[in-house]
Amino acid sequence: QVQLVESGGGLVQAGGSLRLSCAASGRFFSINVMGWYRQAPGKQRELVAAITSGGSTNYADSVKGRFTISRDNVKNTVYLQMNSLKPEDTAVYYCNARVTVVAGLNEYWGQGTQVTVSS
């Protein structure tokens, strides 16, 4: 079993910044991909950003130039630096990890952390 614990959400004004963290723990061989998804009320969960074990990144068009994803391999932690936040960024942000375990490649989700951007 793998656990993902998110932190760093909160309430900020438009134009402000937040930094989300997600720490992975448990028994696994490696974390292949870690990423962040978000879900606003009444909307589908969508990919925000992802980063591979090799450092390759992918971003949703709506956050390019504003958000930066990074990882600390020693701490098994992924970060999402969010700058120039907009009210449209308001959502619950979920950490996601694709992990190599004994049985193969599994996917895990965190509980989510609320990000609210006021105008």
Side-chain angles (χ1 to χ4, degrees):
Q1 186 63 240
V2 176
Q3 295 80 43
L4 303 176
V5 180
E6 301 125 325
S7 62
L11 173 64
V12 297
Q13 295 182 5
S17 298
L18 284 174
R19 185 181 186 235
L20 306 183
S21 299
C22 173
S25 62
R27 299 186 66 84
F28 50 84
F29 294 125
S30 62
I31 302 175
N32 302 83
V33 184
M34 296 189 76
W36 291 93
Y37 289 71
R38 67 185 181 187
Q39 187 167 24
K43 296 184 178 180
Q44 298 254 39
R45 188 174 298 187
E46 64 174 350
L47 175 68
V48 178
I51 185 168
T52 70
S53 59
S56 297
T57 58
N58 187 40
Y59 297 92
D61 289 340
S62 60
V63 307
K64 286 181 179 177
R66 299 188 297 121
F67 292 9
T68 303
I69 190 169
S70 61
R71 65 190 297 166
D72 184 331
N73 292 326
V74 175
K75 297 181 178 180
N76 290 321
T77 300
V78 64
Y79 306 94
L80 185 67
Q81 179 67 46
M82 305 185 294
N83 299 325
S84 301
L85 283 162
K86 305 175 181 179
E88 304 91 87
D89 296 318
T90 296
V92 177
Y93 284 69
Y94 296 91
C95 181
N96 172 270
R98 300 173 190 176
V99 182
T100 299
V101 296
V102 173
L105 184 65
N106 285 1
E107 188 172 61
Y108 298 90
W109 292 91
Q111 290 293 317
T113 184
Q114 177 70 48
V115 171
T116 302
V117 184
S118 64
S119 59

